[in-house]
Amino acid sequence: MYENPILVYRSMFLPRSVKVKRTAHEDKSCAVKKTKLSSGGSLLEDTNEFQDCRSARTETSASRCSLHEVVQEHTEPEAGDLSVGSTTLGEGSRNTDEDCSSEEPIKSFSKSQRWAEPGEPVCVVCCRYGEYICDKTDKDVCSLECKAKHLLQTQAKEKNLKSDQFTRAESQAETHLLNTPYFYKDHSFILGLQDEQIENLKLQLGIAVQGQQVPRPIIEFEHCGFPETLNHNLKNSGYEVPTPIQMQMIPVGLLGRDIVASADTGSGKTAAFLLPVIMKVLKETETPSALILAPTRELAIQIERQAKELMAGLPNMRTVLLVGGLPLPPQLHRLKQSVKVIVATPGRLLEILKQSSVQLHGIKIVVVDEDKKLFKPPVLVFVDCKLGADLLSDAVHKITGLQCTAMHSEKSQVERTDILQGLLQEKYEVIVSTGVLGRGLDLVNVKLVVNFDMPSSMDEYVHQVGRAGRLGHSGTAITFINNNSKKLFWDVVKRVKPTGTILPPQLLNSPYLHDQKRREQQRLKQLQNSLVTGDNIMDIIRKHDKNNSQR
Ligand code: AMP
């Protein structure tokens, strides 16, 4: 009967039958009702319907009977199948078998079903009269439409359950991974490299190390054997490959070695120490387990944010931020919530330790992130005009990303005060100024002055370079000099040479400089000649007498 594979195949797309409920006196009609239902299942050929009618049998319960599945093979309707299924079934329900013609057709749509009388079963989907029982779930439904919806809902629930179970299984796998001890060892790929290859790699990446048995750098994060969640978090943060400081520092940190690391600002140092810290505290039970000290609030906030990103989804990995300028009670409260990692500024940490009973006995790792950039004194750059100050300040900011501002006579008093305060509070990393900042002010924290334009007089030059290294501190001045200030060449050399500064050959070989030097020597000679000394006094008198006698 099912020889034709196409028929069998098509039957697989039939929706399930619904079971028909009947009261005891209606039991005899169940089979007929079921036949209608199976014809309602629809795209079946006659042979199928016939088969379905024959396969139907009754099942009696206390108050009702139900029909079993009509079609042997079937699939659950997919979400997109709902309307298709309903329509087909609706059509089918009109197409009743002749034997069943006396029977009321199975309700295709919920709206054609009546509301339930008190005590009658209620449709699980729409709450109308639950005339039928879904053979798949044994739930009361009112129509084929609601049966299809009900099956879809059930299917969705099952799917959710499965994915929950999958997630649970995944997290169990993760927990298992977290419970197994983690020991860093060189990845087989790294081990397979030759010493020269490693040295060449380090050379090219500018990695320089000191110390005993320093492990080889990693080349990819995957070489660390991190838990999947951590690898995922790295990708999420956009960390595709480690930066050079991370390549070398992560394996060292994962081995639990002490490190003093130095790399440029923005080179990825934070993640370089955070990743080993995360792996070390992951299995710690005593809390807090790690303390990260940062010199400023901004840096602490940044570190904690990055730590959270990398720890997301890892079990029991809470952080706390302890910084001034934010209310203390919430920070204290959070600190007591079994946090694994503290990110703090020293001031706020001491304040908390002094006044609270918090113990930090669990701390095994201390990281001090001392970003040199934040302590670096600002650079003062002198130019010779307002437009130059504005343009250079913008250019330096755009190219280097440093916080820059311009200072000149067109800035209002409010702006000037703000700039000066910003300079003292290290809000600005570079100030480009005309001569207005050249005199008087004690800019104690300026250590570097750049004379981008050489001033027009030595007097001004001396004042400008004097902004660096005030109050006995040493400082540095870098002066750009060209032929525009050729009249000062010899003066500059005289001034700067005694400090031991190596002067550029272009300056030392300049004809202007030699000319100035020669003239000065001549002037000196003249001056010397006009001076009265014991050696020349008789000559001067004689000369004087001679001149007088000639008159
Ligand atoms: P840091 O030097 O730690 O302040 O990092 C500078 C910036 O680089 C931060 O925005 C980090 O999120 C980002 N960063 C750190 N490591 C990587 C990496 N391996 N790949 C891409 N970005 C990174």
Side-chain angles (χ1 to χ4, degrees):
M1 194 163 297
Y2 285 101
E3 275 165 18
N4 183 339
I6 296 173
L7 277 181
V8 176
Y9 177 80
R10 287 175 71 190
S11 72
M12 289 176 71
F13 289 88
L14 283 173
R16 279 179 180 277
S17 60
V18 287
K19 295 174 183 178
V20 184
K21 294 170 193 169
R22 292 288 176 194
T23 52
H25 71 271
E26 287 174 318
D27 278 354
K28 59 183 177 2
S29 64
C30 287
V32 179
K33 185 82 175 177
K34 177 62 188 180
T35 308
K36 285 181 180 176
L37 171 68
S38 58
S39 70
S42 92
L43 297 168
L44 270 181
E45 306 293 332
D46 289 344
T47 46
N48 257 8
E49 284 184 31
F50 177 66
Q51 168 72 13
D52 293 337
C53 280
R54 289 195 306 147
S55 71
R57 61 186 172 85
T58 58
E59 188 184 86
T60 312
S61 67
S63 62
R64 56 196 177 181
C65 74
S66 61
L67 288 173
H68 277 247
E69 282 182 275
V70 181
V71 182
Q72 305 298 316
E73 284 190 284
H74 52 262
T75 52
E76 306 304 334
E78 295 291 328
D81 294 341
L82 176 61
S83 58
V84 176
S86 306
T87 316
T88 320
L89 287 166
E91 257 171 39
S93 66
R94 282 195 300 278
N95 236 353
T96 52
D97 190 289
E98 276 189 12
D99 291 345
C100 310
S101 57
S102 60
E103 286 298 315
E104 179 194 330
I106 288 180
K107 308 272 185 308
S108 293
F109 301 105
S110 156
K111 65 178 183 209
S112 51
Q113 184 56 274
R114 66 176 173 79
W115 292 101
E117 299 291 334
E120 278 184 340
V122 171
C123 170
V124 288
V125 178
C126 71
C127 298
R128 287 166 195 264
Y129 171 43
E131 190 177 356
Y132 317 103
I133 300 170
C134 173
D135 54 357
K136 167 85 174 155
T137 65
D138 273 348
K139 298 286 181 203
D140 300 314
V141 288
C142 71
S143 58
L144 291 166
E145 180 192 356
C146 280
K147 179 195 172 184
K149 283 185 184 168
H150 167 59
L151 286 176
L152 276 180
Q153 286 168 355
T154 313
Q155 204 180 20
K157 267 187 213 156
E158 276 170 6
K159 219 172 175 179
N160 279 346
L161 195 74
K162 268 188 205 150
S163 82
D164 273 2
Q165 282 165 349
F166 181 68
T167 318
R168 231 176 293 137
E170 245 190 353
S171 80
Q172 273 168 2
E174 187 94 342
T175 313
H176 172 72
L177 190 68
L178 299 182
N179 287 338
T180 49
Y182 173 86
F183 297 109
Y184 176 77
K185 56 179 185 340
D186 285 331
H187 188 273
S188 54
F189 175 79
I190 299 293
L191 278 177
L193 296 173
Q194 289 166 1
D195 284 347
E196 306 89 76
Q197 288 176 302
I198 293 286
E199 286 316 310
N200 194 21
L201 177 81
K202 286 195 202 171
L203 199 68
Q204 298 212 0
L205 296 173
I207 299 174
V209 294
Q210 288 173 18
Q212 303 287 309
Q213 294 175 333
V214 179
R216 290 177 161 197
I218 51 159
I219 294 174
E220 291 173 355
F221 286 118
E222 285 71 19
H223 293 156
C224 298
F226 290 149
E228 257 327 291
T229 307
L230 188 50
N231 284 332
H232 173 81
N233 292 346
L234 282 166
K235 292 255 165 358
N236 250 6
S237 298
Y239 301 1
E240 293 294 335
V241 288
T243 63
I245 183 79
Q246 292 166 352
M247 288 178 172
Q248 184 60 76
M249 202 172 149
I250 291 171
V252 180
L254 288 173
L255 286 171
R257 305 267 303 262
D258 290 340
I259 312 169
V260 176
S262 160
D264 281 346
T265 307
S267 57
K269 284 190 296 258
T270 315
F273 68 71
L274 274 179
L275 287 163
V277 166
I278 291 171
M279 288 307 289
K280 286 281 160 190
V281 302
L282 202 53
K283 289 163 202 152
E284 277 296 335
T285 45
E286 219 176 337
T287 58
S289 326
L291 170 65
I292 298 169
L293 284 172
T296 65
R297 291 171 200 174
E298 291 72 23
L299 188 57
I301 292 169
Q302 214 172 290
I303 294 171
E304 202 228 9
R305 195 184 304 135
Q306 212 170 325
K308 276 186 167 155
E309 261 179 40
L310 293 175
M311 291 177 180
L314 290 171
N316 308 318
M317 291 288 277
R318 274 194 290 275
T319 60
V320 63
L321 179 68
L322 307 179
V323 293
L326 294 172
L328 182 64
Q331 294 183 9
L332 253 181
H333 177 74
R334 173 94 179 159
L335 180 59
K336 291 172 183 163
Q337 310 299 306
S338 306
V339 291
K340 280 274 178 76
V341 178
I342 299 175
V343 184
T345 50
R348 178 51 66 97
L349 183 69
L350 283 176
E351 194 183 341
I352 287 179
L353 290 178
K354 266 187 217 157
Q355 57 172 268
S356 86
S357 57
V358 178
Q359 302 290 322
L360 300 183
H361 297 322
I363 299 282
K364 295 201 175 57
I365 306 165
V366 178
V367 179
V368 181
D369 190 342
E370 193 168 321
D371 195 332
K372 288 279 189 309
K373 174 189 134 193
L374 290 149
F375 292 126
K376 215 184 254 173
V379 177
L380 187 54
V381 182
F382 286 107
V383 290
D384 62 5
C385 66
K386 290 175 248 180
L387 181 64
D390 285 333
L391 290 177
L392 187 60
S393 160
D394 278 357
V396 171
H397 176 65
K398 281 200 183 110
I399 291 166
T400 64
L402 295 169
Q403 291 305 315
C404 293
T405 189
M407 176 72 149
H408 49 67
S409 59
E410 261 173 31
K411 296 279 173 182
S412 69
Q413 193 50 51
V414 176
E415 286 172 315
R416 287 177 189 217
T417 312
D418 174 69
I419 290 170
L420 285 177
Q421 270 175 3
L423 186 65
L424 295 169
Q425 292 162 2
E426 298 177 358
K427 176 175 156 192
Y428 296 116
E429 294 164 290
V430 177
I431 296 198
V432 185
S433 174
T434 56
V436 293
L437 278 189
R439 284 169 189 259
L441 284 165
D442 257 341
L443 304 168
V444 276
N445 55 351
V446 171
K447 291 274 185 292
L448 175 63
V449 162
V450 178
N451 310 102
F452 192 76
D453 294 321
M454 176 69 189
S456 55
S457 74
M458 278 312 284
D459 186 43
E460 204 176 340
Y461 172 76
V462 169
H463 278 104
Q464 286 185 4
V465 297
R467 299 306 99 200
R470 305 283 288 171
L471 303 177
H473 295 99
S474 64
T476 305
I478 297 172
T479 305
F480 290 91
I481 198 161
N482 60 19
N483 281 349
N484 290 340
S485 41
K486 55 182 185 245
K487 66 179 167 61
L488 296 177
F489 279 6
W490 176 233
D491 288 335
V492 171
V493 170
K494 279 189 294 176
R495 174 92 207 179
V496 173
K497 215 171 180 182
T499 64
T501 308
I502 298 169
L503 293 162
Q506 291 92 332
L507 175 64
L508 293 176
N509 296 331
S510 162
Y512 300 110
L513 180 137
H514 288 289
D515 195 36
Q516 286 155 16
K517 191 174 167 186
R518 194 171 36 81
R519 281 175 203 224
E520 186 183 87
Q521 281 167 349
Q522 272 176 1
R523 270 199 311 275
L524 266 177
K525 216 172 192 174
Q526 281 171 1
L527 195 67
Q528 273 172 2
N529 288 344
S530 61
L531 285 179
V532 181
T533 65
D535 289 341
N536 67 7
I537 189 156
M538 289 315 293
D539 288 343
I540 292 171
I541 291 171
R542 262 185 236 119
K543 204 173 170 185
H544 178 80
D545 287 350
K546 196 175 165 188
N547 283 345
N548 275 348
S549 64
Q550 278 174 358
R551 273 189 219 137

